[in-house]
Amino acid sequence: MQTIIKYTLAILLSFYVMNVSAQETETETKESKESKESKIEKLKEKIKAGEKEALRVEVEQINERVSKKEITYEEGEELKQKVAKKRALNIENRISILENKIEILKRNNLPVNLDDTKRAAFSFAFGNNDANLIGLTINNGKESKPVQYDFRTVSGLVVSAGLNNAIMDGASLSDSPYKIGGSGYFELGFQWRTRVLKNSNAVRLRYGLSFQWNKYDLKDNQFFVQNGNNTTIETFPTDLRQAKFRTTNLVVPIYFEFGQFTKVEKEDRVRYYNRGLKFGIGGYAGLNIGARQKLWYKEDGDRVKQKIKRDYNVNPFVYGVGAYIGLDDVSLFAKYDLSETFKSGGPKQHNLSLGLRLEIE
């Protein structure tokens, strides 16, 4: 009899534990479902908040354009309606994508992870397995920086190369001691271009920092000789195959540029592009940072290449004027040093360069 009672109590206790466990599981499932639904609603609200904030920024940009009289009040109101419609459709589509994503995961018995609620951007990934049918990330962290409506200043590189020579005091270019074909010029620099006028790109200001290399190829068996504060051009004692002299300058160029342009205007931005004929005029000023001479000759039947690095009494300050004319990014340029290449005690000459100029923006 005691055994029967013992087994009966054990069975009743077992049913009780199972019932409690089922109630707890049901409660947990209910709470989990409510938690997921709450997270889904939060994600939807964050989507709406993000699009509304983006709309606010766009409306402020439109109002600013109206206040600056870039567009009329009527045009501004029309733009506001367009961006409002766009943001409303974005909300509708993004929420639809979220709901479809969840349905896909449930249908394929995949876990629905809604724990990462700190993000607010959408990304998609397609794969060949059930775990990667379509990926979607909701991101509501830091807001993306609004598109800058108008870039008034842009930057880029400038590269120019061409022929180099010098005009001697009291002599013409044909009397120069330098070969026209062998003497060259090269420039490499970083520049900024700023639109001068408010609503037009017809006038631009170009400025920056450039390295300029002026190379002279001496003719008639001549080379440079420095004696203290005096630098002279003399005849080499033996047969000189070649003599090259080079100065290196670091300058700040400033040019006013005039020319055609293309204006591309959209709802959220406007851009100006240089297209067509252009003309620039300006100048430059800077410092000489080096001078050297290379000599090629024969000595006792051996070929000798000599490199001499001295200051050669080169003027430490350089300044001049320049101009260019071209199409799009390529131009023909000319520059002339108003400063003399050498200080007192050296040849009286002013550097002159002609060539091609390329702007890379």
Side-chain angles (χ1 to χ4, degrees):
M1 186 67 179
Q2 291 180 350
T3 303
I4 295 174
I5 294 173
K6 186 187 298 183
Y7 281 114
T8 301
L9 291 174
I11 292 171
L12 291 174
L13 181 61
S14 173
F15 276 115
Y16 175 77
V17 171
M18 290 174 62
N19 185 43
V20 171
S21 177
Q23 290 179 354
E24 289 178 351
T25 302
E26 183 180 355
T27 301
E28 290 177 358
T29 302
K30 185 176 180 181
E31 290 177 353
S32 176
K33 184 178 179 181
E34 291 177 352
S35 176
K36 287 184 177 179
E37 289 178 352
S38 176
K39 289 180 179 179
I40 291 173
E41 289 303 318
K42 287 181 179 179
L43 286 176
K44 290 180 180 180
E45 291 302 320
K46 288 177 180 179
I47 289 173
K48 294 177 183 178
E51 291 293 337
K52 288 179 181 178
E53 176 61 20
L55 175 61
R56 182 189 66 79
V57 172
E58 289 179 327
V59 170
E60 287 181 356
Q61 292 176 343
I62 294 171
N63 288 335
E64 185 177 356
R65 293 179 62 192
V66 172
S67 64
K68 291 180 178 179
K69 298 183 179 180
E70 294 178 358
I71 57 176
T72 64
Y73 175 80
E74 291 75 16
E75 291 173 334
E77 292 301 308
E78 184 178 351
L79 286 176
K80 290 179 185 179
Q81 292 180 6
K82 288 182 179 179
V83 296
K85 183 178 179 181
K86 177 183 71 175
R87 293 301 171 183
L89 288 174
N90 283 356
I91 293 174
E92 181 180 344
N93 295 151
R94 290 177 64 181
I95 290 177
S96 178
I97 290 172
L98 172 64
E99 292 174 343
N100 290 336
K101 160 69 177 177
I102 295 172
E103 291 301 321
I104 290 174
L105 294 175
K106 288 180 178 179
R107 189 181 307 119
N108 290 275
N109 298 319
L110 297 173
V112 179
N113 184 12
L114 299 173
D115 292 332
D116 187 8
T117 59
K118 296 182 180 180
R119 303 167 153 201
F122 286 85
S123 61
F124 298 87
F126 297 89
N128 55 6
N129 56 62
D130 288 342
N132 194 24
L133 290 173
I134 179 171
L136 171 64
T137 302
I138 312 287
N139 192 343
N140 197 28
K142 295 182 179 179
E143 298 175 3
S144 59
K145 188 177 180 179
V147 177
Q148 185 170 345
Y149 178 73
D150 182 12
F151 289 103
R152 191 155 189 169
T153 298
V154 297
S155 60
L157 297 176
V158 57
V159 181
S160 57
L163 300 175
N164 193 67
N165 216 292
I167 297 178
M168 315 295 289
D169 282 3
S172 64
L173 185 61
S174 60
D175 297 324
S176 167
Y178 312 116
K179 298 176 184 178
I180 294 179
S183 301
Y185 167 80
F186 186 78
E187 176 184 3
L188 176 64
F190 189 82
Q191 67 172 4
W192 289 268
R193 172 172 58 84
T194 299
R195 190 175 77 252
V196 175
L197 304 177
K198 184 176 181 181
N199 297 315
S200 172
N201 200 36
V203 183
R204 288 91 70 171
L205 180 65
R206 288 190 179 273
Y207 50 97
L209 189 67
S210 290
F211 287 98
Q212 295 179 345
W213 291 271
N214 300 311
K215 186 179 69 174
Y216 307 92
D217 191 355
L218 284 86
K219 57 187 179 182
D220 300 331
N221 212 56
Q222 295 180 316
F223 74 117
F224 279 102
V225 177
Q226 180 180 358
N227 293 311
N229 294 328
N230 292 318
T231 299
T232 56
I233 299 177
E234 300 181 6
T235 301
F236 199 70
T238 62
D239 186 21
L240 185 61
R241 289 182 57 246
Q242 198 172 39
K244 291 185 179 293
F245 181 74
R246 188 185 74 193
T247 63
T248 303
N249 301 324
L250 179 62
V251 302
V252 176
I254 301 177
Y255 287 88
F256 279 99
E257 184 178 279
F258 310 87
Q260 298 173 322
F261 66 94
T262 300
K263 181 180 180 181
V264 178
E265 188 169 7
K266 297 184 179 181
E267 292 180 1
D268 58 347
R269 64 188 181 275
V270 61
R271 296 291 182 267
Y272 294 88
Y273 301 98
N274 291 350
R275 296 290 184 269
L277 189 67
K278 63 181 180 182
F279 169 73
I281 186 169
Y284 50 91
L287 302 172
N288 173 264
I289 58 174
R292 67 172 56 195
Q293 182 173 216
K294 293 182 181 180
L295 304 176
W296 288 263
Y297 58 92
K298 280 190 176 183
E299 185 176 60
D300 298 329
D302 297 327
R303 291 184 177 180
V304 179
K305 180 180 179 181
Q306 186 179 8
K307 297 180 181 180
I308 308 170
K309 187 176 181 181
R310 304 182 67 179
D311 64 18
Y312 284 98
N313 293 313
V314 172
N315 199 330
F317 301 103
V318 59
Y319 55 92
V321 294
Y324 57 88
I325 184 170
L327 189 67
D328 296 340
D329 298 328
V330 181
S331 307
L332 292 172
F333 81 90
K335 76 173 188 67
Y336 178 73
D337 286 358
L338 296 175
S339 58
E340 292 186 356
T341 305
F342 299 94
K343 295 183 289 186
S344 176
K348 301 292 184 180
Q349 68 175 51
H350 296 268
N351 189 75
L352 175 66
S353 304
L354 303 169
L356 290 176
R357 171 187 172 98
L358 174 64
E359 291 155 359
I360 307 170
E361 295 180 345

